[in-house]
Every structure is written in C-alpha cells, then in structure tokens.
Amino acid sequence: MSSGTALSVERLSKTFGVNRVLENVSFAVSVGEIHAILGQNGSGKSTLIRVLAGVYAPDPGGRVAVFGHRVQLPIGGRELRQRGMSFVHQDLGLIPHLSVLENLRVAELTAKRSYFINWSREREQAEEALARFSVDLALEDRVSRLSLVDRARLALVRAFELVRFAQMRYGSPGLLVLDEPTAFLPRDGVEQLFAMMRDIVARAASVIFVSHDLDEVRAITDRITVLRDGNVVASLVTADCPRETIIRHIVGELPERVLSDTRRKRTTQVGSVVANVEGTRLCGTELTISNGEILGVTGLIGSGYEQLLYHLFGASRARAGRLILGGGCIELVSLTPRRAIRLGIGFLPGDRQGASGIGSLDIPDNLFMPRIERFFRVGFLRRREMYRAAQTLVERFDVRCSDPTTKLRALSGGNAQKILLARWLNLAPRLLLLEEPTQGVDVGARRQLTEAIRSAASAGSTIVIASSDHQQLADVCDRVCIFRHGSLVAEIGGGELSRPYISELCYSDARPHRRGKVPE
Amino acid sequence: MNAAPFIERYGLIGVCLTMVAAFGFILPHAFLTWTNFAVLLASQSPALLLALALIIPLTAGDYDLSAGSVMSLSSMTLAILNVWHGMSIPWATCLAITTGLVVGIVNAFLIVYLRIPSLVATLATASLSSGVVQWASGSATISGISSRFVDAVIGDRLFGVAYAFYYALLAAAVIWYVLEFTPNGRRLLFVGRGREVARLNGINVARTRSGALLASSALAAMAGVVYAGVLGAADPSSGTSFLLPAFAAAFLGATSIVPGYFNAWGTVFAVYFLAIGVNGLSMIGIPLWVTNVFNGAALIVAVTLSQLARGREEIHGVE
C-alpha cells in the first residue's frame, strides 16, 4: 500500500424528508487500497455511493476530498472524470440497444471535442481494453444479447478503462467504486474480477468494494468500513478480523436467542399451501404454508428468493414445480397471472409505478383492475358504483386523498401502496404474495399496511412476503425462510425472529433448520 | 380555479362556435347556410370514421398507420365487385370489410405475435395494401357504383343531412359506449397505460391489443365503404391523404371532452373543428396551402394548451 489518501469523507450526512439515512459519516480510503463498505440493506451504503457519484446532494456541512483536493458538493460529472472516479452500479449502466464497442467507448466519445469519430481507432482501443483484461467479447454484439455475466464483465472493463484514461490524461491515480459487482458473476468471473482489481491497484489506483459476500470481502480487501443505520460503526483491518466479528458489526448485538422451538403453533388452522419451485436462480425449493400464516422469504441479492413470488404468480415462468392450493394442484410451468388470479392468488410487485399500479389513472381504475367486470351490469360499467366502492376502501385503509378521482401518482408512496394492497385484499385472496410491501413508505403508513396484512392473515389468507428489510420481516412474519445460492437454507420462527438473527443467517453458512431438497 | 377543467373540456366546442360566428359574420350568405353545413357534416363522415378507427389502438398503446390504406382497399374492393362484377351491394360491403379484417389480422400477427413495433409493422402493411389497390384498379378511379347505394349514403336525408353523417355518429356512439362503459374498454386503457401492470392484473394483453387492431381495421374498412358511397366511385390514392389529418383529429380530440384520454366525442368535435376551419378559409378565398397550415397549427396550439393546463403530462397511448 502506498502512502497518501485517495478519498476522505468527513461528517457527511444525508436526509430525505424526515429520514436521516447518513449521519456524520467519516472514513478514508488510502491510495492503492481496496476498501470494503459493508452494511445491511437500509444501512445507508447505497446512499453513500450515490452521494459519491454525484447523484445526491448531501446535507450541508460534509466534506469530501479526492486525492487531497476538496471537491464541491454535489460532485459534478467533470470533476468525477478528471479525478478518475469511476463507478459500476448494481444495474451496470449499460445501454442495451448499443453494441459492445459503443458502450465501451461511450464516455470517451462524449468527452471528445472533435466532430469526427474515427471508428477504426475506436475499435483498436476497444480491442486493446478487452484484451488487457482478457475478456472475450465481439465488439459488434448488442449488449441486450449478452448474458448477465458478460454484461457485468463489460461494465467492469469500461470502469477500469475510465480510471486508466484519467491516469493518462489527468495524471490522477483514480478511484474505482464497485457496488455489488459480484452478485451475478460465477465463481471464475469473480476470480477474474479480483485479478483486474489487483492489477489496477498495483498501478496506484484505489478501489471501493461494496459487497454482501463476506468471503469475497475477506479475500480481496485491505480494510473495511461498516455502516449500520446510517452511522459508521466500525473501521476494521481485514486481515485482523474473523468472519464472526464482521457479522457482529454488520448486524449489531444479538438478543438472547431462544433455542427451543417456539414457532407459533398453527394446529387449529386447517389447510395449507404447498409450493415446489424450480426457476432460473432457484433450485428445487419446497415450502408448506398454513392458511392464515405470514411467511417471509429473504436472502442476499442474487440468492433467488426474489424470484419465488414471480414464479408462484406465473409472472415469470418457472422451470418446474407445482403449487397445491385449496385442493387443486397447479403446474407452475403453465401458470399465467390471469389463471393465478382466478385461483385466488394476488401479487403486489415491488416496482410500484412500473408493475404494480398505473400512475396516470385514478384510484378506482387502479383498485378494480383485476376484476373490473364486477361493476358491469345490464350492459353498463357502473362508474358511480366504482367510485362509491373506492370511497369505502379509501376510508377503510385510511388513504389520504382529496377524492377518489385523484390519480395514483398524485398520492404519496404510502398512500399509493395502501391502494395497491387494498386492490388485492378486496378480492380476499387465498394466497397473497407481497414484494417489499413497505419499501419507501413512511412510518405511519408502514404501521397501517402491516395492520392490514395481519388482519388479512387472520381472515384466512396465506401471505408470503419477499423482502430485504429484515426488521420488517421480524415484525410481521410468523416464520421466515432464508435463501442462499438458490436454496432454502434456514427457517426460523416464533421467538427466534429478530432482525440481527435473520441478517446473520443471510450472511453465514449456518443451517439451523435444514429442510427441503438442498442440492450441493 | 374551478373553471379551468370546464374550459379544457369544452374549449374546443367554444372555439368551433366562435369560428362559425366569425365566418358567418364575414360570409353570411355562403357560409352560414344550412346547405353548407349539411354538406360539411356528411362529407366529413369518412374522415370521422377513420379518426375513430385510430383511437381504438391508440388507447391500447399502438399506432395503426395502415388505416388509411385499408380505407382505400375496402372502397376499391367494393367498387370493383359492384361495378366490374355486378355483385350486390350488401355482399360487396361484406367482402370489403373482410379485406380490412385481413389486414387487421396481419397487423395483429406482426405486432403482437412477432413483437414488431406497431409503427413499423403498420407502415409496412399500409404500403403493401396501397400497392394491392393500385394493382387491382390499374391505378384508375372506378366510378359507376350502384346509385341506390349512393343514395343510401349521401342522397337520402334525415333532417336535411345525408345518412353518411348518422353512420359516423352511430360509430362514435358505439366507441364511446365501448371505451367508457364496458370492461373491455377499460382493459384497453389499462393495456395502453401500463402493459406490464395490465398483464400482472390478469388482463390478456395479447388478445386486447389484437382486438384493438382488428377493430381499427374493420372500422377503417367501413370508412372506405362510406367513402365509396360519398364519391359514388373509388379513388386508389385517397386513403393515404386521409391518414395524417385523422391522426391530427385523434390527438386533438384527446385534449377535449375527456381531456388526457383518446375519446369518441372529442374526436368528433376535432374532425368538425378542422373541417369548419378549412371550409371557411377556402370560402374566403384563401389559397389551398393555408388549409394544411391550419391543420398543423390547430394541432400544435391545442396540444400545447392542453399540455400547459395539465402540467406537462405525457400524451398517453403512445409507445
């Protein structure tokens, strides 16, 4: 490690409304260092990365210096380029309709001041860049046709190139920020990435590495900064830290664990839902959920849990598997959302504006979308009745709006979510699938949504919640299933349910209640 | 404050009336006559039917650029069968509408099944059916369509206005009913505004979009039948020149009556608004090119005002 500071962050805070997601965060990255930033979902690390990338303006008072130069906040695009700060975000930031070549050279091409593009030179340089990292991609291929792994590789090569470009052009050593780059990489891809990282660090650049995978962090990083609830809770030297210590810092103090099986007994409930699912990222997973139970599923990014609901609703096709529900047995391969709704399944996706509700339409249209024909009588859609029914639901779920003709996008996140949840609860589903039901929702609305979910369960609906918010899972669920690498690895319930314990199970290899088929 | 939605809703009708008053003031004896209005109302009915055809797929989020050519295709089919082969009008009408449906099926197959963007697919089928029309007709106007048919469209009158007007009005009423008062009409809107949301709410998106494209082609074919009746002949090149004004009327119509939504009555007023403007201007003796300028300027002004009133929302129904 060479001396000097690549990045110093002092007393950085960020507040969204009343929510303080970063609180006086200070840390420093040395030149030539690989520095991990760890923390759970909601710990503030994404916000921190976005502040560094100039996406968010932090609260006044913080200071950021890059290679000794204090930078203006929010950080501008020019500054990032000149200081050689380059980012690979989770979504990779590639343009799917353009070729590998265009994606690779996009930054240089936009920075160029000439009006002429010499394509053969661009090709040469792109070839060189790919060869330097021994990535084998055809320059003419469209990015949309590449596999996820190849896309990740391409994004990485591009980011590495930007750092090299800054080194040559501006003489800045460069700082590379990788936000969860390994979530979709296979083993050998990770090795390759590590080689690339070591290579660039050897050339005096620094790397910030955000990852959930502790093994990777321990393998490649020099130091670790741990964030929890927006605060820096630990600065560690990787070599000195056993795995357990790191986990302890990430999840916080564990409460006394109740070791006896205190799972809530549901013998009084009759009937259950049995699902056996196999998908692209999910190995054969078997779940049995009682009627009236609230089951949580979670895991780290890429562990497969996030696909489960989509398969159970037929929203994305499962490879194999079946669902036993209310005496019927459904092959998941042939399940469509339309059939799922007929069978009494409801699904609320996490993407509120893109998949869940239509912002440009009013509340009744959004509420009654799946079963609008119920209001069609004697040749006419009874609009007035729709508005009346909507008004009743608006009052029941305490949605704050001037009247039901309000467009969905005019509502706050919490109120919109109440409407979308009400849509399904109104149909009294047998099985209700909820993805991140309280994400981006204020505290008051969160409590009301939780209430509504609970009362639906006690009315007999079976509920599955997929969420990365472990606190919420601990608060709402009767039982939580934890996934790792596509398999169900742990299952906890009753008194064992606590945010730190769920988080610990996501990270660790411990398998307290192994069940189901778990292929190695 | 409360007046704003009202003005937005009925502004177009107000402007229509103002225009009638203005032209009436300038030309009281030529413009402000019942005959002029009767002719105006009836002669615009093919254009109105075509504009109504367009709003169906537009509501579902698809463009149908082939509607103009389908109109020519159907009127030419009717003329050839009736004039050259002596087929009776009811049968010729059925076959004319069938040719329209064939184009609609091809459109639906290309767009929904092969997932070709509607703009590209219907541009292709538009060109294709125009070619077929020119081949079948030898690029010549075919006249001499049965006079009883011509009477039924433009000759016979009810309250002094030819039947053609009432056919278009009937179509508008049907579309209004379907879009506003049936579940399928609402589903069309859901699919247009959020395809993925609609799919996840159990709506059969493929079937809905196909249905919209078929309905649009069928209605465009009916526009062709009425057009053949209005002219008493079939003109091989008319359809394409109808297409752009029809789109203009569809978008203009989406700024009134039910602002922000493609809607039947808005489209009716938009078509007649444009027709009155063009009719009045040409009577004053303004050269022909001004009518195009009028059409374009009216669309820009209306859409801009509507956009400003609604706080720059996207115009919906567009991919």
Side-chain angles (χ1 to χ4, degrees):
Chain A
M1 226 188 286
S2 34
S3 58
T5 306
L7 173 75
S8 100
V9 171
E10 279 168 51
R11 304 179 59 77
L12 198 68
S13 298
K14 175 70 191 169
T15 313
F16 290 108
V18 291
N19 258 346
R20 190 147 224 223
V21 287
L22 287 180
E23 213 163 336
N24 289 329
V25 167
S26 303
F27 71 102
V29 178
S30 312
V31 170
E33 180 189 39
I34 301 181
H35 191 107
I37 294 183
L38 292 179
Q40 286 176 261
N41 281 308
S43 62
K45 53 186 183 2
S46 313
T47 309
L48 177 62
I49 299 300
R50 285 189 189 130
V51 169
L52 291 178
V55 177
Y56 293 151
D59 298 345
R63 286 168 65 110
V64 174
V66 186
F67 300 108
H69 302 273
R70 186 170 171 191
V71 296
Q72 196 82 30
L73 294 170
I75 307 176
R78 248 177 88 89
E79 184 104 54
L80 290 178
R81 194 146 51 212
Q82 288 179 1
R83 303 269 171 248
M85 288 175 74
S86 155
F87 294 79
V88 177
H89 295 286
Q90 255 171 49
D91 62 5
L92 303 180
L94 299 169
I95 306 170
H97 293 296
L98 297 184
S99 68
V100 169
L101 173 63
E102 285 158 330
N103 270 289
L104 207 48
R105 303 295 297 164
V106 69
E108 279 90 336
L109 289 178
T110 47
K112 233 177 182 150
R113 290 203 180 269
S114 87
Y115 294 98
F116 179 71
I117 300 174
N118 183 344
W119 281 109
S120 58
R121 251 200 59 207
E122 296 294 330
R123 289 185 63 89
E124 265 169 42
Q125 296 193 348
E127 293 279 10
E128 269 173 37
L130 291 176
R132 216 175 346 260
F133 299 104
S134 47
V135 172
D136 189 23
L137 290 174
L139 290 180
E140 305 306 330
D141 268 359
R142 276 206 192 185
V143 164
S144 55
R145 297 186 169 240
L146 298 183
S147 64
L148 276 177
V149 178
D150 281 340
R151 282 185 217 186
R153 286 200 183 111
L154 176 61
L156 289 167
V157 170
R158 183 173 69 177
F160 279 78
E161 278 301 291
L162 277 176
V163 171
R164 254 175 44 84
F165 182 72
Q167 286 180 341
M168 291 188 313
R169 177 101 177 248
Y170 304 110
S172 165
L175 173 67
L176 184 62
V177 182
L178 305 175
D179 188 5
E180 293 284 352
T182 55
F184 302 107
L185 283 181
R187 205 69 249 161
D188 58 333
V190 174
E191 290 307 324
Q192 201 183 2
L193 169 67
F194 285 0
M196 286 160 85
M197 283 163 70
R198 289 197 188 96
D199 182 63
I200 200 150
V201 170
R203 274 182 258 159
S206 312
V207 177
I208 291 179
F209 184 65
V210 181
S211 176
H212 278 306
D213 195 312
L214 294 187
D215 295 327
E216 289 173 5
V217 166
R218 277 155 50 79
I220 189 77
T221 64
D222 301 310
R223 285 197 301 153
I224 301 174
T225 295
V226 182
L227 285 175
R228 196 168 68 226
D229 301 326
N231 295 289
V232 173
V233 291
S235 295
L236 312 166
V237 175
T238 312
D240 302 346
C241 280
R243 201 189 161 84
E244 284 304 305
T245 317
I246 305 175
I247 294 180
R248 202 54 78 239
H249 283 298
I250 295 174
V251 301
E253 278 313 302
L254 274 184
E256 276 302 300
R257 196 175 303 159
V258 190
L259 286 173
S260 61
D261 189 11
T262 49
R263 244 178 285 169
R264 236 175 275 183
K265 296 274 184 283
R266 303 206 148 262
T267 41
T268 48
Q269 295 281 356
V270 280
S272 62
V273 177
V274 180
N276 195 326
V277 193
E278 197 177 324
T280 42
R281 282 210 293 280
L282 269 178
C283 313
T285 299
E286 199 179 306
L287 291 167
T288 305
I289 318 154
S290 318
N291 287 354
E293 185 178 10
I294 304 178
L295 176 78
V297 293
T298 189
L300 300 179
I301 296 172
S303 62
Y305 83 93
E306 67 277 10
Q307 279 196 321
L308 184 72
L309 303 189
Y310 287 82
H311 291 325
L312 289 179
F313 191 65
S316 76
R317 193 143 292 179
R319 279 234 207 92
R322 55 168 64 95
L323 179 68
I324 299 168
L325 174 77
C329 177
I330 307 136
E331 287 298 327
L332 289 180
V333 181
S334 62
L335 187 66
T336 61
R338 194 177 165 73
R339 250 191 92 207
I341 292 170
R342 291 233 182 93
L343 292 164
I345 307 176
F347 174 42
L348 190 59
D351 178 4
R352 209 168 293 150
Q353 291 292 336
S356 218
I358 301 179
S360 67
L361 296 182
D362 61 13
I363 290 175
D365 276 340
N366 273 292
L367 270 175
F368 305 120
M369 205 177 290
R371 284 282 179 82
I372 197 156
E373 62 277 4
R374 290 192 323 166
F375 294 94
F376 187 65
R377 270 202 301 283
V378 215
F380 282 94
L381 201 59
R382 305 289 155 162
R383 297 298 286 278
R384 205 162 299 157
E385 224 169 284
M386 275 175 76
Y387 284 101
R388 260 207 303 276
Q391 185 63 46
T392 320
L393 286 172
V394 159
E395 280 160 20
R396 199 170 105 205
F397 289 93
D398 190 32
V399 179
R400 314 282 160 80
C401 64
S402 47
D403 68 305
T405 59
T406 312
K407 301 244 158 46
L408 189 71
R409 70 159 151 248
L411 300 180
S412 72
N415 284 317
Q417 190 71 348
K418 285 181 202 164
I419 292 291
L420 298 171
L421 183 66
R423 170 204 288 164
W424 295 112
L425 294 182
N426 189 37
L427 298 177
R430 276 203 195 120
L431 173 63
L432 181 58
L433 310 167
L434 307 169
E435 187 185 18
E436 303 285 0
T438 57
Q439 193 176 50
V441 160
D442 62 275
V443 185
R446 177 179 282 234
R447 194 176 311 125
Q448 290 172 315
L449 287 165
T450 308
E451 281 301 292
I453 294 168
R454 280 226 183 88
S455 72
S458 47
S461 291
T462 301
I463 293 170
V464 183
I465 300 177
S467 175
S468 57
D469 181 342
H470 298 155
Q471 184 62 55
Q472 188 209 1
L473 290 177
D475 290 347
V476 184
C477 297
D478 300 323
R479 186 156 61 104
V480 172
C481 291
I482 290 124
F483 286 74
R484 257 172 88 86
H485 303 306
S487 302
L488 175 58
V489 294
E491 188 184 315
I492 54 172
E496 295 175 315
L497 284 174
S498 71
R499 186 191 68 145
Y501 189 36
I502 296 172
S503 307
E504 187 185 278
L505 287 173
C506 286
Y507 284 101
S508 72
D509 275 323
R511 297 177 180 189
H513 297 283
R514 219 173 114 176
R515 61 189 297 283
K517 281 180 284 175
V518 186
E520 298 304 324
Chain B
M1 186 59 216
N2 287 331
F6 181 82
I7 292 174
E8 197 188 3
R9 242 161 219 274
Y10 302 109
L12 191 63
I13 301 178
V15 178
C16 264
L17 293 176
T18 316
M19 226 161 47
V20 170
F23 286 128
F25 181 73
I26 303 168
L27 301 161
H29 302 298
F31 182 81
L32 218 51
T33 59
W34 184 238
T35 335
N36 185 34
F37 278 104
V39 170
L40 193 76
L41 289 176
S43 66
Q44 287 301 317
S45 72
L48 176 53
L49 283 166
L50 192 65
L52 289 170
L54 294 179
I55 66 172
I56 302 167
L58 280 174
T59 300
D62 287 307
Y63 282 100
D64 185 0
L65 296 182
S66 69
S69 304
V70 167
M71 181 176 159
S72 299
L73 185 65
S74 103
S75 68
M76 192 53 78
T77 307
L78 182 114
I80 289 175
L81 292 175
N82 181 246
V83 178
W84 291 358
H85 301 285
M87 190 182 275
S88 72
I89 286 296
W91 277 111
T93 303
C94 283
L95 284 174
I97 290 169
T98 309
T99 56
L101 283 173
V102 170
V103 179
I105 289 168
V106 174
N107 284 341
F109 176 77
L110 294 175
I111 295 167
V112 178
Y113 187 75
L114 296 182
R115 292 165 195 267
I116 297 171
S118 61
L119 215 54
V120 179
T122 57
L123 187 65
T125 53
S127 184
L128 227 127
S129 33
S130 295
V132 170
V133 169
Q134 281 174 338
W135 163 76
S137 64
S139 301
T141 299
I142 298 174
S143 50
I145 292 177
S146 147
S147 62
R148 272 185 53 212
F149 174 60
V150 174
D151 282 344
V153 173
I154 201 82
D156 294 336
R157 281 149 201 269
L158 180 68
F159 308 119
V161 182
Y163 286 166
F165 172 65
Y166 300 103
Y167 299 150
L169 224 50
L170 182 68
V174 169
I175 289 175
W176 171 63
Y177 165 73
V178 171
L179 289 185
E180 283 288 304
F181 298 108
T182 68
N184 281 330
R186 270 349 244 187
R187 290 191 190 114
L188 219 56
L189 181 69
F190 298 156
V191 168
R193 296 293 175 90
R195 221 164 263 171
E196 182 63 6
V197 179
R199 186 179 78 92
L200 293 179
N201 279 281
I203 294 168
N204 190 332
V205 173
R207 197 190 297 161
T208 306
R209 291 174 74 195
S210 306
L213 289 160
L214 277 173
S216 149
S217 289
L219 199 54
M222 288 181 210
V225 170
V226 172
Y227 191 48
V230 168
L231 283 185
D235 165 11
S237 59
S238 54
T240 28
S241 62
F242 269 85
L243 186 69
L244 289 182
F247 266 108
F251 282 108
L252 191 54
T255 65
S256 71
I257 311 297
V258 194
Y261 298 77
F262 292 102
N263 67 89
W265 298 119
T267 307
V268 171
F269 287 112
V271 167
Y272 286 111
F273 162 74
L274 293 175
I276 291 168
V278 169
N279 176 262
L281 287 174
S282 61
M283 275 189 172
I284 295 175
I286 281 172
L288 199 64
W289 58 264
V290 177
T291 62
N292 277 332
V293 173
F294 174 77
N295 279 343
L299 183 61
I300 289 174
V301 169
V303 173
T304 307
L305 287 178
S306 160
Q307 204 81 331
L308 290 176
R310 304 167 62 72
R312 295 197 182 79
E313 282 178 24
E314 294 285 314
I315 294 208
H316 293 286
V318 182
E319 276 178 310

